[in-house]
Amino acid sequence: MYICFNNFSKQLSAFSFLVAAESFNYKKFFEMVGLKNKSPEDVKKVFRILDKDRSGFIEEDELKFVLKGFNPNGRDLSDKETKALMAAGDKDGDGKIGVDEFATMVAES
């Protein structure tokens, strides 16, 4: 399942292929896909889609594929990008991002 907000899939397709490795910026990404302007319920829906194993958390191995959650042709994040995204979202330091942490990360982007 992929996240689809209006017609930004086409925008993301261009984004995914143009963004060089080691250049992912989650704040710009969330802005580009319009996630910051979505309702809290929509943000939770996105979280549930990114939480591939349905554990209630987004773990590091799931973060690596965050772009593919928005577009099947999205590239994988590098290990460095994945760790940076985890550090930005994991406010309690437990090594995973919960739904509230994800919502906070989106709101602060």
Side-chain angles (χ1 to χ4, degrees):
M1 175 174 257
Y2 301 101
I3 302 157
C4 185
F5 296 123
N6 298 327
N7 66 354
F8 76 74
S9 184
K10 187 182 288 184
Q11 295 170 346
L12 181 60
S13 180
F15 175 82
S16 297
F17 293 113
L18 295 175
V19 175
E22 307 301 335
S23 64
F24 180 75
N25 179 306
Y26 76 91
K27 291 180 180 183
K28 289 180 183 177
F29 178 75
F30 289 161
E31 180 182 340
M32 187 191 117
V33 299
L35 190 54
K36 185 173 181 173
N37 299 321
K38 295 297 176 189
S39 70
E41 187 54 40
D42 282 342
V43 172
K44 287 179 183 178
K45 287 177 186 176
V46 170
F47 175 87
R48 288 191 293 269
I49 291 169
L50 297 175
D51 177 20
K52 296 290 187 196
D53 66 1
R54 306 288 185 244
S55 66
F57 298 95
I58 300 173
E59 291 90 3
E60 196 169 305
D61 61 330
E62 293 167 320
L63 278 182
K64 185 171 196 71
F65 306 110
V66 70
L67 293 178
K68 289 183 179 177
F70 289 84
N71 183 304
N73 296 318
R75 69 173 178 86
D76 295 347
L77 297 183
S78 70
D79 289 343
K80 182 179 177 181
E81 291 169 320
T82 302
K83 288 183 187 313
L85 184 54
M86 177 60 74
D90 181 19
K91 301 297 184 188
D92 63 9
D94 64 356
K96 51 193 175 186
I97 299 172
V99 67
D100 292 334
E101 290 172 314
F102 183 74
T104 298
M105 183 171 60
V106 169
E108 292 176 349
S109 65

